[in-house]
Amino acid sequence: MDAITDTIQLTDADRLDRLRLIRSDNVGPRTFRSLLAHFGSAGLALERLPDLARRGGSARPTRICSEADAHAELAASRKFGVDWLAPGETGYPSRLTTLDDAPPLLGVRGAIETLMRPVIAIVGSRNASAAGLKFANQLARDLGEAGFVIISGLARGIDQAAHRASVASGTIAVLAGGHDRIYPSEHEDLLAAILESKGAAISEMPLGHEPRARDFPRRNRLISGASLGVVVIEAAHRSGSLITARMAAEQGREVFAVPGSPLDPRAAGTNDLIKQGAALVTEAADVIRAVEPILERPIALSLREDDGDPLEGDPETSERERIINLLGPSPVQIDDLIRLSGASPAIVRTVLLELELAGRLQRQRGGLVSMI
Amino acid sequence: MDAITDTIQLTDADRLDRLRLIRSDNVGPRTFRSLLAHFGSAGLALERLPDLARRGGSARPTRICSEADAHAELAASRKFGVDWLAPGETGYPSRLTTLDDAPPLLGVRGAIETLMRPVIAIVGSRNASAAGLKFANQLARDLGEAGFVIISGLARGIDQAAHRASVASGTIAVLAGGHDRIYPSEHEDLLAAILESKGAAISEMPLGHEPRARDFPRRNRLISGASLGVVVIEAAHRSGSLITARMAAEQGREVFAVPGSPLDPRAAGTNDLIKQGAALVTEAADVIRAVEPILERPIALSLREDDGDPLEGDPETSERERIINLLGPSPVQIDDLIRLSGASPAIVRTVLLELELAGRLQRQRGGLVSMI
């Protein structure tokens, strides 16, 4: 059991409000988190949303997900066996709650108890060699026997081998699209086998959402975020698995890589990871030894610095203009904005939230923001 | 040029004395070093040798290499193109001088200038795969083009590939037997090609010495010791190349290992080395980047702690007995001997030297000694 101590349980009304908020225009996981922290509930944030977006200079009225649409989504999801869970609820993978861009609601299908067990991610190239597939199979089996759940992306190649080898012991598929839009479609049988055998599937996307290219890196953060560590088996230079490894490192997860001959291009990415500090893996024991101490530590819910600060009721028009003038298409540090504008941190954050909700601002890695 | 600042030049008489001393019974490189430090010259040490060994309880008179035998060896060596050089002389590889068991005289054949250039060792299994041989060839060629001399053991497999690929740029073969006893004998042609192309061969053994099993680990310390770092390409568990890697680490040399698939037993040893902290190598740049900063630093001649202390003229019989009583077949720390005997460090060292010259004492790793 890899559990956090406090669990919560949303009311039906709160779940509906949360779904409406995250399905509204320009609200991503980070904005959701700021809004919830500042207004105390999704319901109150929904009420303030149009006003904030208007102040941020939204050209057209912000589309807010209606109560009816949210009701319909919840009903359709339930019919498909998908529950929408919030961080801290039973069934929401406990490690995932620590991400500052954790999905505010996660669509969960399958065995709740498997989602609450300690998880190791196994990822790698779709175009894997026979040796890579064999090793993935062996590693997933051994980690499964040692009590770990295997998480992966249901892709061809390494993902598929890792899932298959851990169907019996417990495995989680993380989807880039909606639960009813499996990619690749020939893996629907594999998913069915996973779900029949106390496995699970998770997605933050609504039913009917066809996965697009940009959804895969976004999905990958859930693979690494839900796990104690990520094992990369066979990855060429610039492979998608390396994005998962980078996210794992940024999220403070262990990164493991399986070595290969320098003459094998499918090992170029994993060898590079090891050069950069990833732990070399040749057997399950290498992974288990490294994650055991982490299992002992309680899971700390991540709190962003600004979470506790109240938003200002209404920044002065001159302040807002000063801050907007400092922004442009080149990313700038929020700290620099505060220093250069002379406005208080709370005012700067409020203006940025307004702009974000108006669809005019983009947040990037490392506290950087830019105008769209 | 990977050179030390001070060079020396032995007189003919001193070279003869040194050869006699190192060819005498029970005198190894470490004992030689102690004797030289304490008596100031090999000639004076030779004079004192019988007396020291007798006091150590030698059952029979210690055999001292005669002047005639040493003359004969020097003459035969010269005829074969072998010079016997002392640490600090031009042609004696400069890194090798830093070992506390550096050969007091090294038999050197070939191009002096190549022996004075910066050196990288490439070692690996005799039973190498085609991929391992190809990589050894590529790495040796690239390091050679970058100005490094390749050193190796003239064995089959990786050694052979590394030498061959660096014949043009400069390579050094380190022999476990005498210069006229090449092992394996089918590599005599390779050695001839090396010598013809400004390469070199080195050995600490006299002409005519057939290499025995125990000579190879002893030889391996010269491969690692003469180099800035050792690259291990393909090594199974418990392979001889891992001994070279361990010696390299003990000597403070860089250890590099080439990764391979966990399913390939020939990569088990190198993957283990990386787990233990060796740098992963997939191309010459990985090696060059790591050794460049070392090249900048001046080479420090190693001085053992006890080098400066004078030997006592004559330990009391009772002191000698007390120390001998504390010794047995189980290795003990010299520090413990000093503490338990109550004798001065100089007295303890003198008694140990006497016992060593009498063939009754064995020194081991980490300041341990035991009676034979």
Side-chain angles (χ1 to χ4, degrees):
Chain A
M1 194 70 175
D2 187 30
I4 47 173
T5 43
D6 295 327
T7 54
I8 61 162
Q9 165 85 52
L10 297 190
T11 63
D12 287 350
D14 199 8
R15 198 177 314 277
L16 193 75
D17 285 344
R18 286 189 186 223
L19 189 63
R20 289 183 63 200
L21 188 57
I22 191 64
R23 294 285 183 254
S24 295
D25 273 1
N26 305 322
V27 178
R30 282 199 176 82
T31 319
F32 184 101
R33 198 182 169 99
S34 293
L35 289 167
L36 201 68
H38 294 309
F39 295 111
S41 78
L44 288 173
L46 280 170
E47 282 173 26
R48 294 292 310 278
L49 215 53
D51 187 43
L52 286 167
R54 189 187 43 73
R55 284 186 354 209
S58 182
R60 50 189 174 78
T62 302
R63 193 196 58 81
I64 293 189
C65 172
S66 71
E67 228 179 283
D69 283 354
H71 261 306
E73 182 177 349
L74 285 177
S77 297
R78 204 163 300 127
K79 219 166 154 187
F80 204 77
V82 173
D83 287 317
W84 290 95
L85 303 177
E89 287 197 294
T90 303
Y92 194 106
S94 45
R95 300 264 150 201
L96 206 50
T97 60
T98 66
L99 303 191
D100 60 9
D101 57 354
L105 284 178
L106 184 71
V108 160
R109 191 176 171 211
I112 295 296
E113 62 270 35
T114 299
L115 289 159
M116 303 305 279
R117 281 167 51 203
V119 174
I120 301 287
I122 297 180
V123 299
S125 54
R126 290 185 297 275
N127 168 34
S129 72
L133 295 172
K134 184 179 173 189
F135 186 79
N137 174 72
Q138 192 175 302
L139 184 72
R141 194 173 301 271
D142 291 347
L143 288 172
E145 278 171 15
F148 293 93
V149 170
I150 302 303
I151 201 168
S152 195
L154 206 68
R156 296 186 184 99
I158 298 294
D159 287 21
Q160 178 183 15
H163 281 304
R164 271 202 201 293
S166 56
V167 163
S169 52
T171 187
I172 302 171
V174 188
L175 312 175
H179 276 277
D180 55 352
R181 293 292 186 273
I182 300 311
Y183 179 86
S185 57
E186 71 259 34
H187 283 181
E188 278 170 14
D189 287 353
L190 173 57
L191 180 60
I194 289 171
L195 294 172
E196 267 162 34
S197 184
K198 287 199 172 300
I202 61 176
S203 168
E204 62 185 322
M205 295 305 184
L207 289 185
H209 180 89
E210 286 288 351
R212 301 150 301 178
R214 66 170 180 220
D215 292 326
F216 290 92
R218 180 177 173 164
R219 182 272 313 264
N220 291 352
R221 88 186 194 286
L222 304 183
I223 296 178
S224 53
S227 66
L228 291 153
V230 174
V231 185
V232 185
I233 301 177
E234 285 196 349
H237 278 307
R238 281 184 294 277
S239 137
S241 306
L242 301 182
I243 299 177
T244 312
R246 198 191 61 213
M247 285 175 172
E250 285 173 4
Q251 293 165 345
R253 304 298 185 260
E254 300 296 305
V255 182
F256 302 95
V258 178
S261 162
L263 301 179
D264 180 358
R266 282 181 279 217
T270 53
N271 286 340
D272 267 354
L273 284 176
I274 298 167
K275 284 186 196 175
Q276 290 158 27
L280 184 150
V281 170
T282 58
E283 54 180 359
D286 296 324
V287 176
I288 297 168
R289 210 178 306 114
V291 301
E292 264 174 352
I294 309 168
L295 268 179
E296 317 274 308
R297 294 200 290 269
I299 296 174
L301 281 166
S302 104
L303 284 175
R304 284 167 60 90
E305 278 170 45
D306 53 321
D307 272 3
D309 294 322
L311 289 180
E312 291 291 315
D314 197 355
E316 305 267 335
T317 308
S318 64
E319 283 179 313
R320 186 180 292 113
E321 276 174 8
R322 224 177 320 134
I323 293 163
I324 290 173
N325 278 337
L326 289 167
L327 286 162
S330 304
V332 289
Q333 286 282 347
I334 295 175
D335 285 349
D336 289 340
L337 279 182
I338 294 168
R339 191 171 47 76
L340 294 168
S341 67
S344 72
I347 287 285
V348 171
R349 272 195 297 273
T350 304
V351 172
L352 294 179
L353 187 62
E354 290 169 359
L355 292 169
E356 210 174 350
L357 290 170
R360 297 174 64 196
L361 187 95
Q362 194 164 29
R363 288 184 192 267
Q364 280 146 8
R365 237 168 263 288
L368 291 166
V369 289
S370 61
M371 293 295 263
I372 292 167
Chain B
M1 195 70 172
D2 186 31
I4 47 176
T5 42
D6 294 326
T7 53
I8 61 163
Q9 165 86 53
L10 298 189
T11 63
D12 287 349
D14 199 7
R15 196 176 316 275
L16 192 74
D17 284 344
R18 286 188 185 223
L19 189 62
R20 288 183 63 200
L21 188 57
I22 191 63
R23 294 284 184 254
S24 295
D25 275 0
N26 307 321
V27 179
R30 282 200 175 81
T31 320
F32 184 101
R33 197 180 169 101
S34 293
L35 289 166
L36 201 68
H38 295 308
F39 295 110
S41 79
L44 288 173
L46 280 170
E47 281 174 27
R48 293 291 309 280
L49 214 53
D51 187 43
L52 285 166
R54 189 187 44 71
R55 284 186 353 209
S58 182
R60 49 189 175 78
T62 301
R63 194 195 57 82
I64 294 189
C65 172
S66 72
E67 229 178 282
D69 285 353
H71 261 305
E73 182 177 349
L74 285 177
S77 297
R78 202 161 303 127
K79 220 165 153 185
F80 204 77
V82 173
D83 286 317
W84 290 95
L85 302 177
E89 286 197 295
T90 303
Y92 194 106
S94 45
R95 301 265 150 199
L96 206 50
T97 60
T98 67
L99 304 191
D100 60 9
D101 58 353
L105 284 178
L106 184 71
V108 160
R109 191 176 171 210
I112 294 297
E113 62 270 35
T114 299
L115 289 159
M116 302 305 279
R117 281 168 51 203
V119 174
I120 301 286
I122 297 180
V123 299
S125 55
R126 290 184 296 274
N127 168 36
S129 73
L133 295 172
K134 184 178 172 190
F135 186 79
N137 174 71
Q138 191 173 303
L139 184 72
R141 194 172 302 271
D142 291 348
L143 288 172
E145 277 170 16
F148 292 92
V149 169
I150 302 302
I151 201 168
S152 196
L154 206 67
R156 298 186 183 100
I158 298 294
D159 286 21
Q160 178 183 15
H163 282 305
R164 270 202 202 291
S166 56
V167 162
S169 52
T171 187
I172 303 171
V174 189
L175 312 174
H179 277 277
D180 55 352
R181 292 291 186 273
I182 301 310
Y183 179 86
S185 57
E186 71 259 33
H187 283 182
E188 278 169 13
D189 287 354
L190 174 57
L191 180 61
I194 289 171
L195 294 172
E196 267 161 35
S197 185
K198 287 202 173 296
I202 60 175
S203 168
E204 60 186 322
M205 296 303 184
L207 290 185
H209 180 90
E210 286 288 351
R212 301 149 302 178
R214 67 169 181 220
D215 293 326
F216 290 91
R218 180 177 173 166
R219 182 273 313 266
N220 291 352
R221 88 184 195 287
L222 304 183
I223 295 178
S224 53
S227 66
L228 291 152
V230 174
V231 185
V232 185
I233 302 177
E234 285 196 349
H237 279 305
R238 281 184 293 279
S239 135
S241 305
L242 301 182
I243 300 177
T244 312
R246 199 191 60 216
M247 284 174 173
E250 286 173 4
Q251 292 164 346
R253 304 297 186 260
E254 300 297 304
V255 181
F256 302 95
V258 178
S261 163
L263 302 178
D264 180 357
R266 281 181 280 217
T270 53
N271 285 340
D272 267 354
L273 284 175
I274 297 166
K275 285 187 196 175
Q276 290 157 28
L280 185 150
V281 170
T282 58
E283 54 181 358
D286 296 325
V287 176
I288 296 167
R289 211 179 304 114
V291 302
E292 263 174 352
I294 309 168
L295 268 178
E296 316 274 307
R297 294 200 291 268
I299 296 174
L301 282 165
S302 103
L303 284 175
R304 284 164 61 88
E305 276 170 43
D306 52 325
D307 271 4
D309 295 320
L311 290 179
E312 290 291 313
D314 198 354
E316 305 268 334
T317 309
S318 64
E319 284 180 313
R320 184 179 294 112
E321 276 173 8
R322 224 178 320 134
I323 294 163
I324 291 173
N325 278 337
L326 289 167
L327 286 163
S330 304
V332 290
Q333 286 281 347
I334 296 175
D335 285 349
D336 288 339
L337 279 182
I338 293 168
R339 190 170 47 77
L340 293 169
S341 68
S344 73
I347 286 284
V348 170
R349 272 196 296 274
T350 305
V351 172
L352 294 179
L353 186 61
E354 290 169 0
L355 292 168
E356 209 174 349
L357 291 171
R360 296 174 63 196
L361 187 95
Q362 194 164 29
R363 288 184 192 268
Q364 280 145 9
R365 234 169 265 289
L368 291 166
V369 289
S370 61
M371 293 294 262
I372 292 167

